Amino acid sequence: MALAAIPAIISLAAAAGSAVAQAKAGDAANAQAEQQALLDGYKRSDDARRAAMAAGAQRTMARQYMNAGVAAAGAGGVSSTSGSTADLIAQSAARGEQNADTIQSNAARAAWGQGIEIEQTRQAGRQARRSGLLTAIGTGASGIGQAVGAYSA
């Protein structure tokens, strides 16, 4: 009778070891996904900061062009506060602001997409963890069935 229990015990031990390994693999995949999501979040923040800097640089460049136009007009003896010179300077300012707004809008769209990717990474990690646990439960149940079969034989 004791000898008949040995295959059952071996079967249970093997199933338990395999189940633990599968659960740990799921946990490891989840942890890796969380780490990746964290890194992606840092990148998203950095990209937003860089976009704000680029928009600011665009505004500065537009102001420089505007000021150069005012200086050139003044050097030529033309009033920069009225007429076509004033219109050109105002258009330069408006284009500069449009370009800065485009930079910020594009960055906002990219950040939204990155946010979606971050959430998908986290979801995949949670799914890997659940899958590991369910596989571990299935392995455990299968091991119990094999152990019962081995003991009955």
Side-chain angles (χ1 to χ4, degrees), residues 32-97:
Q32 183 180 10
E34 280 298 321
Q35 186 64 31
Q36 185 61 49
L38 181 66
L39 293 174
D40 290 345
Y42 291 150
K43 181 186 179 306
R44 180 182 182 194
S45 296
D46 186 56
D47 288 349
R49 184 183 56 79
R50 288 175 190 261
M53 290 173 58
Q58 177 61 42
R59 286 184 177 100
T60 298
M61 191 178 355
R63 279 193 300 276
Q64 288 172 343
Y65 285 135
M66 229 173 49
N67 292 336
V70 170
V78 177
S79 171
S80 62
T81 58
S82 65
S84 59
T85 305
D87 292 342
L88 288 172
I89 291 170
Q91 287 174 1
S92 293
R95 283 193 188 112
E97 189 59 33

Side-chain angles (χ1 to χ4, degrees), residues 125-149:
R126 288 190 289 269
Q127 182 59 37
R129 183 170 189 227
R130 280 190 293 269
S131 178
L133 288 173
L134 291 173
T135 303
I137 290 168
T139 299
S142 175
I144 291 170
Q146 290 174 355
V148 168

Side-chain angles (χ1 to χ4, degrees), residues 40 44-45 47-48 104-120:
D40 290 345
R44 180 182 182 194
S45 296
D47 288 349
Q104 288 183 314
S105 176
N106 289 343
R109 276 192 287 277
W112 179 82
Q114 288 169 336
I116 296 297
E117 289 174 8
I118 288 168
E119 186 53 33
Q120 287 174 337

